[in-house]
Amino acid sequence: MSAPGGFRVVADTDVCQGHQLCQGEAPSVFGFDTEADVVVLLQTHPDASLRPDVTTAVKYCPAFALSIEEDQ
């Protein structure tokens, strides 16, 4: 059962262009695979306290490769 306000982070590695802006916004959630040149999710269900940082990372991703899905 999910906690209230829970969410899941989704990264589309086929769309990711390797800008790494997400790492600057939420480094505990987003990593980077230098060989593949794409984002790596370090946490798919981060704590609710990280939502503002994750939301900013999603908003400013130049490739629109990130999204947030609400837990049901």
Side-chain angles (χ1 to χ4, degrees):
M1 188 165 196
S2 301
F7 65 103
R8 180 169 81 98
V9 181
V10 179
D12 185 340
T13 56
D14 291 332
V15 175
C16 179
Q17 297 175 352
H19 295 284
Q20 301 182 48
L21 296 178
C22 54
Q23 280 188 290
E25 297 299 334
S28 65
V29 177
F30 302 103
F32 192 73
D33 181 334
T34 54
E35 289 184 22
D37 197 34
V38 294
V39 65
V40 174
L41 291 177
L42 304 176
Q43 300 183 58
T44 55
H45 288 88
D47 187 78
S49 66
L50 294 173
R51 182 184 283 265
D53 295 338
V54 172
T55 299
T56 300
V58 169
K59 180 178 180 179
Y60 291 110
C61 176
F64 304 103
L66 307 174
S67 61
I68 293 174
E69 293 180 357
E70 300 302 325
D71 285 343
Q72 299 298 321

